[in-house]
Structures are given as C-alpha cells and as structure tokens.
Amino acid sequence: MELRVLQYFLAVAEEENITRAAALLHITQPTLSRQLMQLEQELGVKLFYRGGHAVRLTEEGMLLRRRAQEMADLAQKTERELKHGKEAVLGEISIGCGETQNMKPLCDRIALFRQIYPDVTFDICTAIADDVKERLENGSLDLGLLLEPVEISRYHFIRMPLKESFMALMRRDDPLAEKKKITPKDLAGIPLIVAKRRAVRNELEHWFGDDRDKMEIASMCNLSHYNQQVMVESGIGIAMGMGFSVSNEMLCMRPLEPELVSGCVLAWKKNQVLSQAMSRFLALVRTHFSDTL
C-alpha cells in the first residue's frame, strides 16, 4: 500500500463522494476511482458500498480508515521532525488524555513551555487509557496522561500531583442525595452508569466487596462528563466516576465511603527516541512533579 493511495482513500471516506474528493485532491474522478479499485484488489476486500452519488465504508473499509489515518498522522509527524533538524526546538508533541483534574497542572506546564519555545505545538487527543496506550504503541502519540488503574510496565512515567476520587453522580431528588457519603450497601440493586474499561469496573467491584453481586449495571460509557449528566438526569441511573464540576443544577455529587482513589501518570514508551521538543518538555515537567522511571 502506498501512502499516497491511502490518503486518497481517506479523502473519499471523509467526503463520502468520489467526485468531491477528486476535486479536493486535484486529480480526475476516473483516476481516483481506478486507484480505489486497485487498492481493493491489492487488499482483496471491498472497501466501499457504492450507490448513486454517494459512497460509504464497509466494515473492512472502516478498519482501514482507522489504520490509514494512524499511518498518515505518523508520516506527517515524522516528516516535520526530520525537517526541523536535531537541534531545533520545533515541531509537535501529541498527548492522549482522559478526563482528569491533572489536565490543569499539565496544561500549566504546556503554557509555560510555549512561552519558552513558541514554535512547538501540542496536539491533544481525548480518549480512554486503553486507546491512548494503543496509540502510544503505534507511535501516533508521544505521551499519555493515564488514569490508574493501568498497566505501565512498558513505559517511563512521571506521576502527576493530583489524586482522583470516585464519586456518585445523582439527581438532587434522589433519596441518596440526602446522605453525606455513599456506601456499597446504599447502591445495592440501584441502576448504575459505569466506565466501559474493565480495569475500572474491577475497581468498583472490589469497592462493593461482599455486595458486589448486588451491583446492577444499567449502562456503560466511555468519556464525556456531559453525557453522564444527561443520562443521570434522564433517570437511567447513578453514575460512578471521577469527581468533576457539575453544571446541571438538577444533579449533585456525593463522595464514597470507603473512599476510592486513583492516581494519574504521564507516560511514554521505553526506548523511544525523543525529539528535542519532547526531551525539553519532559525536563520541564520533571522540575515540578515527582518522577518514577
């Protein structure tokens, strides 16, 4: 597969129309159609459903789109780093992160770093820890801000300063809102909204202890504080997650008893060749936060 052809494929996947994609790519529509057919022949799969003026991806096409985007991003990132040269403090640092209070101290470091090196840009990708780790492995991310529990034996890391406490997000008219703290027995048999990550659900099951069999999961979700608030307001259940500022006046948060706390780390792959920008950024972060390698 040529990178150029994958970029053609991505343009068609984005536009869902071969004619429009050809115009954006400054090539003819027949040329683009021929390149796509040759790509399908090379891979031995059908990438698009073609109908009328529109095209849409098959399941194989959706898989290729994800991988092709990763390869295109990595190629662009490598090209920028090579053009900048070894001594230049330029380029881009890509960071994957979950929804965590530790974004604030990290962003403070980013702002300070850009005062010193204004030619460095930061690409922030919001995703759950499992997805961030996958992108660290394939090289499309430089750093990952990972909320524990997470396996980090393959990484160097800097431990972030803030601890995250699990909280219960509920409607203010819920009887449990009258309590100062929420126990496992309080939530036995109550519909819950929990994280999709298996490691996080394991933590919650451990917290439930002897009442884990009475843990009723109504819904699982990934990131989005806003979506959690909408789900709770709609009466789907009580959301179990990290504390955050609640914007919906109909909702409230209550701490757990016993307390359930997680740490957070800024991680990067071991044996990774660091750009000048990343080396200096990590050096700046280390001056403010404790470091474990």
Side-chain angles (χ1 to χ4, degrees), residues 126-249:
T126 303
I128 62 172
D130 295 341
D131 292 340
V132 170
K133 287 175 63 179
E134 180 179 342
R135 296 188 63 180
L136 286 173
E137 289 298 321
N138 66 35
S140 58
L141 286 176
D142 297 312
L143 299 167
L145 188 62
L146 304 174
L147 193 61
E148 296 175 314
V150 64
E151 172 56 47
I152 53 174
S153 61
R154 293 173 56 85
Y155 304 95
H156 293 308
F157 63 91
I158 298 171
R159 187 161 296 284
M160 299 299 289
L162 302 180
K163 296 291 185 181
E164 300 278 359
S165 295
F166 273 82
M167 305 280 281
L169 175 67
M170 64 193 71
R171 293 169 55 112
R172 287 191 180 276
D173 59 6
D174 191 301
L176 290 179
E178 300 298 323
K179 298 178 67 70
K180 291 184 178 180
K181 294 185 179 181
I182 305 300
T183 69
K185 291 190 180 300
D186 293 328
L187 296 176
I190 300 294
L192 301 178
I193 302 165
V194 301
K196 193 171 184 179
R197 282 185 62 211
R198 180 70 255 185
V200 176
R201 282 185 283 137
N202 287 343
E203 288 286 295
L204 285 172
E205 289 174 3
H206 180 73
W207 178 77
F208 266 85
D210 294 338
D211 293 304
R212 63 170 55 88
D213 292 340
K214 300 176 183 177
M215 182 178 172
E216 181 182 334
I217 297 178
S219 176
M220 293 185 291
C221 62
N222 287 335
L223 303 173
S224 179
H225 289 157
Y226 174 79
N227 287 349
Q228 283 185 24
Q229 293 180 72
V230 172
M231 294 168 76
V232 172
E233 181 182 354
S234 298
I236 294 175
I238 292 176
M240 305 293 287
M242 303 305 174
F244 61 91
S245 178
V246 179
S247 59
N248 190 325
E249 294 182 355

Side-chain angles (χ1 to χ4, degrees), residues 10 18 27 29 62 65 68 108-109 128 199 233 245 256:
L10 288 170
I18 294 178
I27 60 176
Q29 185 269 334
M62 287 186 282
R65 182 181 189 177
D108 289 343
R109 304 288 80 74
I128 62 172
E233 181 182 354
S245 178
L256 304 184

Side-chain angles (χ1 to χ4, degrees), residues 7-181:
Q7 291 170 333
Y8 290 172
F9 164 78
L10 288 170
V12 176
E14 178 69 24
E15 293 297 319
E16 297 185 339
N17 182 282
I18 294 178
T19 302
R20 287 200 303 269
L24 288 173
L25 294 167
H26 305 292
I27 60 176
T28 66
Q29 185 269 334
T31 297
L32 180 56
S33 294
R34 185 172 61 254
Q35 293 282 0
L36 293 176
M37 286 189 290
Q38 290 175 352
L39 180 60
E40 287 180 320
Q41 291 171 1
E42 179 184 353
L43 296 174
V45 297
K46 184 175 181 179
L47 298 173
F48 294 100
Y49 295 114
R50 295 166 173 84
H53 297 291
V55 296
R56 58 189 180 89
L57 293 172
T58 64
E59 289 187 10
E60 293 82 2
M62 287 186 282
L63 174 60
L64 180 61
R65 182 181 189 177
R66 179 180 178 185
R67 296 307 184 195
Q69 191 62 63
E70 291 173 352
M71 288 186 277
D73 291 344
L74 184 57
Q76 291 175 1
K77 180 179 177 62
T78 302
E79 182 179 356
R80 285 193 298 267
E81 290 176 349
L82 290 174
K83 285 182 177 179
H84 293 151
K86 292 183 178 180
E87 299 304 323
V89 185
L90 306 167
E92 177 184 284
I93 298 174
S94 54
I95 306 175
C97 58
E99 291 179 330
T100 166
Q101 297 180 76
N102 282 286
M103 272 300 290
K104 179 59 170 68
L106 180 63
C107 286
D108 289 343
R109 304 288 80 74
I110 291 173
L112 177 59
F113 187 81
R114 279 192 39 80
Q115 290 178 16
I116 306 169
Y117 305 109
D119 293 324
V120 176
T121 59
F122 286 81
D123 179 13
I124 306 299
C125 168
T126 303
I128 62 172
D130 295 341
D131 292 340
V132 170
K133 287 175 63 179
E134 180 179 342
R135 296 188 63 180
L136 286 173
E137 289 298 321
N138 66 35
S140 58
L141 286 176
D142 297 312
L143 299 167
L145 188 62
L146 304 174
L147 193 61
E148 296 175 314
V150 64
E151 172 56 47
I152 53 174
S153 61
R154 293 173 56 85
Y155 304 95
H156 293 308
F157 63 91
I158 298 171
R159 187 161 296 284
M160 299 299 289
L162 302 180
K163 296 291 185 181
E164 300 278 359
S165 295
F166 273 82
M167 305 280 281
L169 175 67
M170 64 193 71
R171 293 169 55 112
R172 287 191 180 276
D173 59 6
D174 191 301
L176 290 179
E178 300 298 323
K179 298 178 67 70
K180 291 184 178 180
K181 294 185 179 181

